[in-house]
Amino acid sequence: MRLPTLIPLAIASIIHTATGAPAPTAPSSVITTTKITPSYWRATFSDPPFNIQGNAFFRDFYTLVDEITSDPNVKVVVFDSNSKYFFSTHVDLINTLDPDLYPGNPRYWDSITRLAKAPVLTVAAIRGLTYNAGAEIAAVLDVRFGSKEKAVLAQYEVGFGANPGGGGIELLSRLAGRSRALEVVIGADSIDAETAALYGWINRAIPDAQFEKFVDKFARRVAGWDHSAIAAAKNLINGRTGFPTADEQIESFNSFLKADAPGGLVDRRLKAMAAAGMQTNLNFEENFGREELKFVGNGPWNA
Amino acid sequence: MRLPTLIPLAIASIIHTATGAPAPTAPSSVITTTKITPSYWRATFSDPPFNIQGNAFFRDFYTLVDEITSDPNVKVVVFDSNSKYFFSTHVDLINTLDPDLYPGNPRYWDSITRLAKAPVLTVAAIRGLTYNAGAEIAAVLDVRFGSKEKAVLAQYEVGFGANPGGGGIELLSRLAGRSRALEVVIGADSIDAETAALYGWINRAIPDAQFEKFVDKFARRVAGWDHSAIAAAKNLINGRTGFPTADEQIESFNSFLKADAPGGLVDRRLKAMAAAGMQTNLNFEENFGREELKFVGNGPWNA
Amino acid sequence: MRLPTLIPLAIASIIHTATGAPAPTAPSSVITTTKITPSYWRATFSDPPFNIQGNAFFRDFYTLVDEITSDPNVKVVVFDSNSKYFFSTHVDLINTLDPDLYPGNPRYWDSITRLAKAPVLTVAAIRGLTYNAGAEIAAVLDVRFGSKEKAVLAQYEVGFGANPGGGGIELLSRLAGRSRALEVVIGADSIDAETAALYGWINRAIPDAQFEKFVDKFARRVAGWDHSAIAAAKNLINGRTGFPTADEQIESFNSFLKADAPGGLVDRRLKAMAAAGMQTNLNFEENFGREELKFVGNGPWNA
């Protein structure tokens, strides 16, 4: 647990526009949970259109992980989105992020690690653009299904001058291997569902017309099995394949923080991107990978 | 070698319907070997329609492994099936399994490890349903080709309350990675050939009309090379990629045995499944992944 | 660094037709470098039609690696070919190879290792046949894109009696895993672009009509990013995924040398293949995987 080391850096650099106001403590509901049965839950990212990961998102996420890891009945949780554009996108780069909530905090690494080890199968049902922290949350889940026509994944961080810092490098490297991780992260461009499936970033791409039925059938099968069998199988597969260590992920996070020093290039660039439409303009967010070209490099910007 | 530890558990739990009769010792021929040339053998699973892995199967398999690993001429062995429905299916869950033969016995781990390390390329030519122990035998072989239309792979064990115990978790995890192994094993559903190829579970899916010609051409190429070059290449690739250790595989097997305790849920469920058609009814075996839904969970069973 | 051990063997075995003449020291230009911008270079294999790797190739390659790893501006280097048939093929098996230049020399392992670790993204743009040492050079690069119609990869070494010795076994095993590496290396046959993409040997196969635009756009994106972000991302991904050690690669190389002893079977076979058209006849080189069948095995040769 490196909180004492990380917090000061994080306060200085992540919270670009910190107002000093206390973090909200009221209940929030940007992740809504539906218990279809006691064994089969849907967790829906519900902050359309962007599903940006701000304080409310992380508060809800940590609460949900606590619920999943302590409920004796739940066997499968499908994560989806109520936005027709995005599964989940980046962390809130404009508003204050509570130091106790933001990714990079030990609470984040602890939550995703517990989730990966829980005797519950977690499933990402991806039907929209999924990038940066959004792609990292998806990669944390056990299984990822993508709509062939609608799912798009990306790690755009190199495009604005940093590297993925929320575990994305560790998770993607394990799923896709060296050469494809290098392409995705350094190319910093959108990856369609079929390519993401080829790379192992998602399990498979399913035609959108069959998507919901496929996911629901899969989840109902899992929910119908014995909890002990699911737990034994997941425990054994975890033992054979591992999960990135917090230390590995913190190395990437610290590298991210170093790039994102206050007043530095990334900081100023993100502020300019915010002024240009980031987090407010749908077109900007949908074309994040192209829009950020305007703030780096030498053009032309029709690339 | 953990035989003393494993045997009592195995006797107690695997041999559900043990009659006390001695295991058969007569020669059997449920795996028939054809030496197309001294260098190119075909080993055919020949116990149609199910190719269930009982005493005769394991006796033949161990004999075949001994022959392959001691013959100085053989360079490539293609494993196929004379059943038009199945490549190979589960272990015999009804009749007595000789403790000296059943998987989980050190003889099993020793045989598959010697085969993986032998200076001979083994090839699974899969044109039917291949599941549970059958999928595990296929995964033990060096290379797997599947008919695009006819090959279907599965590990259905979670569906009746256990986990794959014959090395399947270890082999599949290496071939397909964490997320896809979790989907296959915990989803416990049929995986078509193209998806199995996407996941790396089989090398590739080949249109059935071209399948035999492709496999035969591949085997003849290998059989035509110098034995020393095949041996050197396999030895080096084995060194770079490893093979699951017996200890890893035994951990999964012991977890399987724990679920499958005599008189317990899995034991009773398998008996009920036997009464419903398992090992006797072709439709039951072909739809194993759906049939077992009727013995667990809450329905409806048309999922 | 095992030069003292390797050199004598290498002199004895690689340089089949050594004439005793000193290696050429004049500048060569079989790899031509075009600096499209200071950040975006193209390195073109320019010794058509075969792009065989002889003294000039290795001299140019080492020089290029020195330039890439010492230039503060370069961010991306695309390697392509000016031959319409080949990306890059085998090492020169007829003419004298300078012991200080040939693969297997510490200089080779050092150069490819520095390139893999450099804060620059290297890209193979493959539109032709790419085999043996050519496939090994491609696999050394960070990212590989292949023309769907024109890219073909192979490691044919087992076909003439040796094993891949230039790191190919190590690189391919990491990209494709055990079963597919065994198929590729021991099958010793041509692998089309889509299969190579399925196996992870190339990142993806792109329709040839879109190939150049795709690669150029990708390279321009990378060249437009901040150098520090590219460097941080590559450093982290390298840390998560590793790169074969020189010791691993030297083990394969020594195994290759052992097969290729002077006056031995491989030596005599390569001389016969040279007499039959290797390195001079386009049809022979384009059908290398079939032609070599005529010098081993038992036929028929229309396989």
Side-chain angles (χ1 to χ4, degrees):
Chain A
M1 294 300 169
R2 301 188 176 184
L3 189 58
T5 305
L6 284 172
I7 281 269
L9 264 175
I11 290 174
S13 61
I14 283 282
I15 309 166
H16 300 294
T17 60
T19 61
T25 55
S28 55
S29 58
V30 299
I31 306 177
T32 53
T33 305
T34 308
K35 298 186 180 182
I36 293 171
T37 74
S39 300
Y40 167 22
W41 300 3
R42 304 280 292 212
T44 303
F45 300 144
S46 305
D47 190 16
F50 300 127
N51 282 335
I52 281 171
Q53 297 183 14
N55 286 321
F57 176 89
F58 289 107
R59 185 177 306 108
D60 280 11
F61 182 69
Y62 299 143
T63 301
L64 177 59
V65 172
D66 288 341
E67 288 172 356
I68 291 171
T69 53
S70 61
D71 187 291
N73 295 309
V74 63
K75 300 177 195 171
V76 61
V77 183
V78 175
F79 287 73
D80 56 18
S81 160
N82 75 352
S83 162
K84 70 177 184 178
Y85 306 101
F86 302 100
F87 177 77
S88 177
T89 59
H90 49 82
V91 293
D92 194 326
L93 294 162
I94 294 179
N95 301 295
T96 305
L97 276 171
D98 182 340
D100 187 45
L101 296 172
Y102 71 87
N105 187 301
R107 190 167 171 184
Y108 182 75
W109 309 127
D110 174 64
S111 290
I112 63 173
T113 303
R114 278 192 293 129
L115 194 60
K117 295 185 178 174
V120 175
L121 194 72
T122 58
V123 179
I126 304 175
R127 298 179 82 185
L129 184 53
T130 307
Y131 67 91
N132 295 15
E136 290 169 327
I137 282 284
V140 160
L141 302 181
D142 295 327
V143 167
R144 278 159 303 291
F145 297 122
S147 158
K148 185 174 168 179
E149 295 86 356
K150 296 183 179 173
V152 174
L153 283 83
Q155 299 283 168
Y156 293 133
E157 290 88 341
V158 165
F160 57 76
N163 58 261
I169 282 181
E170 287 66 39
L171 294 159
L172 178 61
S173 292
R174 289 189 173 223
L175 291 165
R178 180 178 185 269
S179 286
R180 286 163 167 174
L182 285 168
E183 177 199 340
V184 166
V185 170
I186 299 183
D189 207 350
S190 307
I191 305 292
D192 64 75
E194 288 190 280
T195 306
L198 179 69
Y199 289 14
W201 201 358
I202 63 174
N203 283 48
R204 46 174 140 171
I206 296 154
D208 195 70
Q210 303 157 32
F211 187 80
E212 279 301 325
K213 185 176 176 188
F214 176 91
V215 171
D216 186 66
K217 181 191 165 196
F218 178 81
R220 287 182 189 276
R221 283 184 72 84
V222 173
W225 306 143
D226 301 295
H227 209 161
S228 58
I230 295 168
K234 187 168 171 186
N235 176 56
L236 287 162
I237 293 170
N238 278 345
R240 300 299 164 255
T241 56
F243 190 77
T245 66
D247 278 354
E248 283 178 318
Q249 297 178 97
I250 288 168
E251 185 186 358
S252 289
F253 184 71
N254 282 334
S255 178
F256 173 83
L257 288 184
K258 192 176 164 191
D260 191 29
L265 189 60
V266 172
D267 185 14
R268 285 179 283 130
R269 201 176 274 158
L270 287 173
K271 286 195 171 88
M273 288 165 71
M278 186 176 72
Q279 297 196 197
T280 52
N281 183 305
L282 185 59
N283 188 64
F284 189 103
E285 288 285 337
E286 279 194 296
N287 294 284
F288 200 98
R290 293 187 183 192
E291 289 293 329
E292 65 186 353
L293 275 171
K294 299 174 185 168
F295 300 88
V296 293
N298 303 305
W301 308 127
N302 59 347
Chain B
M1 294 301 170
R2 302 189 175 184
L3 188 59
T5 305
L6 284 172
I7 280 271
L9 264 174
I11 291 174
S13 60
I14 284 281
I15 308 166
H16 300 294
T17 59
T19 61
T25 55
S28 55
S29 59
V30 300
I31 306 177
T32 53
T33 304
T34 309
K35 298 186 181 181
I36 294 171
T37 75
S39 300
Y40 168 22
W41 300 3
R42 306 278 292 211
T44 302
F45 299 144
S46 305
D47 190 17
F50 300 127
N51 282 336
I52 282 172
Q53 296 183 15
N55 287 322
F57 176 89
F58 289 107
R59 186 177 305 106
D60 280 10
F61 182 70
Y62 299 142
T63 301
L64 177 60
V65 172
D66 288 342
E67 288 171 356
I68 290 171
T69 54
S70 61
D71 186 289
N73 296 309
V74 63
K75 301 178 194 170
V76 60
V77 183
V78 175
F79 288 72
D80 56 17
S81 160
N82 76 353
S83 163
K84 69 177 185 177
Y85 306 102
F86 303 98
F87 177 77
S88 177
T89 59
H90 49 82
V91 293
D92 193 326
L93 295 162
I94 293 179
N95 301 295
T96 305
L97 276 171
D98 182 339
D100 187 45
L101 295 172
Y102 71 88
N105 188 301
R107 189 168 172 184
Y108 182 74
W109 310 126
D110 175 65
S111 290
I112 63 172
T113 303
R114 278 191 293 129
L115 194 60
K117 296 184 177 173
V120 174
L121 194 71
T122 58
V123 179
I126 304 174
R127 297 179 83 185
L129 184 53
T130 307
Y131 67 91
N132 294 16
E136 291 170 325
I137 283 284
V140 160
L141 303 180
D142 295 328
V143 167
R144 279 159 301 293
F145 297 123
S147 158
K148 185 174 168 179
E149 295 85 358
K150 295 183 178 173
V152 174
L153 284 83
Q155 298 283 167
Y156 293 132
E157 290 88 341
V158 166
F160 57 74
N163 59 261
I169 281 181
E170 287 66 39
L171 294 159
L172 178 62
S173 291
R174 290 188 172 223
L175 291 165
R178 180 179 185 267
S179 287
R180 286 161 167 175
L182 285 168
E183 177 200 338
V184 166
V185 171
I186 299 183
D189 207 350
S190 307
I191 305 292
D192 64 75
E194 288 190 279
T195 306
L198 178 70
Y199 288 14
W201 201 359
I202 63 175
N203 283 46
R204 44 174 140 172
I206 295 154
D208 195 70
Q210 302 157 32
F211 187 80
E212 278 301 325
K213 185 177 177 188
F214 176 91
V215 171
D216 187 65
K217 181 190 165 198
F218 178 81
R220 287 182 189 277
R221 283 184 71 83
V222 173
W225 305 142
D226 300 296
H227 209 162
S228 59
I230 296 169
K234 187 167 172 186
N235 177 54
L236 287 162
I237 293 170
N238 278 346
R240 301 299 165 254
T241 55
F243 190 77
T245 66
D247 279 353
E248 283 180 319
Q249 297 178 98
I250 288 167
E251 184 186 358
S252 290
F253 184 71
N254 282 335
S255 178
F256 172 84
L257 288 185
K258 192 176 164 190
D260 192 29
L265 188 60
V266 172
D267 185 14
R268 284 180 283 130
R269 201 176 275 158
L270 288 173
K271 287 197 170 86
M273 288 164 71
M278 186 176 72
Q279 298 195 196
T280 53
N281 183 304
L282 184 60
N283 187 66
F284 189 103
E285 288 286 334
E286 280 195 293
N287 294 283
F288 200 97
R290 293 186 183 193
E291 290 293 329
E292 65 186 353
L293 274 170
K294 299 175 184 168
F295 300 87
V296 294
N298 302 304
W301 307 127
N302 60 347
Chain C
M1 294 302 169
R2 302 189 175 183
L3 189 59
T5 305
L6 285 172
I7 281 270
L9 263 175
I11 290 174
S13 59
I14 283 281
I15 308 166
H16 299 294
T17 60
T19 61
T25 55
S28 54
S29 59
V30 300
I31 307 178
T32 55
T33 306
T34 308
K35 298 186 180 180
I36 294 172
T37 75
S39 301
Y40 168 22
W41 299 3
R42 304 279 292 212
T44 302
F45 299 144
S46 305
D47 190 17
F50 301 127
N51 282 334
I52 282 171
Q53 298 183 14
N55 286 322
F57 176 88
F58 289 107
R59 186 178 305 108
D60 280 10
F61 182 70
Y62 299 142
T63 300
L64 177 59
V65 172
D66 288 342
E67 288 171 356
I68 291 171
T69 53
S70 61
D71 187 289
N73 296 309
V74 63
K75 300 178 194 169
V76 61
V77 183
V78 175
F79 287 72
D80 56 18
S81 159
N82 75 352
S83 162
K84 70 176 185 179
Y85 306 101
F86 302 99
F87 177 77
S88 178
T89 58
H90 50 82
V91 293
D92 193 327
L93 294 162
I94 293 180
N95 301 295
T96 305
L97 275 170
D98 181 340
D100 187 44
L101 296 172
Y102 71 87
N105 187 301
R107 190 168 170 183
Y108 182 75
W109 309 126
D110 175 64
S111 290
I112 63 172
T113 303
R114 279 191 293 129
L115 195 61
K117 296 184 177 173
V120 175
L121 194 72
T122 57
V123 179
I126 304 174
R127 297 179 83 186
L129 185 52
T130 306
Y131 68 92
N132 295 15
E136 290 170 327
I137 283 284
V140 160
L141 303 181
D142 296 327
V143 167
R144 279 158 301 293
F145 297 123
S147 158
K148 184 174 167 179
E149 294 86 357
K150 295 183 178 174
V152 174
L153 284 83
Q155 299 283 169
Y156 293 132
E157 290 89 342
V158 166
F160 56 75
N163 59 260
I169 281 180
E170 288 66 39
L171 293 158
L172 178 62
S173 290
R174 290 189 173 221
L175 291 164
R178 179 178 186 269
S179 287
R180 285 162 167 174
L182 285 168
E183 176 199 342
V184 166
V185 171
I186 299 183
D189 206 350
S190 307
I191 306 291
D192 64 74
E194 289 190 278
T195 305
L198 179 70
Y199 289 14
W201 201 359
I202 62 174
N203 283 47
R204 45 175 140 171
I206 296 155
D208 195 70
Q210 303 158 32
F211 187 79
E212 278 300 326
K213 186 177 176 188
F214 176 92
V215 170
D216 187 65
K217 181 191 165 196
F218 178 81
R220 287 183 190 275
R221 283 184 72 84
V222 173
W225 306 142
D226 301 295
H227 209 160
S228 59
I230 296 168
K234 187 168 171 186
N235 177 55
L236 287 162
I237 293 170
N238 278 345
R240 300 300 164 255
T241 56
F243 190 77
T245 67
D247 278 354
E248 282 179 320
Q249 296 178 98
I250 288 168
E251 185 186 359
S252 290
F253 184 70
N254 282 335
S255 179
F256 172 83
L257 287 185
K258 191 175 166 193
D260 192 28
L265 188 59
V266 172
D267 185 14
R268 284 180 282 129
R269 201 176 275 157
L270 287 173
K271 286 196 171 87
M273 289 165 71
M278 187 176 71
Q279 298 196 196
T280 51
N281 184 306
L282 185 60
N283 187 65
F284 189 103
E285 288 286 335
E286 280 195 294
N287 294 284
F288 200 97
R290 293 186 183 191
E291 290 293 330
E292 63 186 355
L293 275 170
K294 299 174 185 167
F295 299 87
V296 294
N298 302 305
W301 308 127
N302 59 347

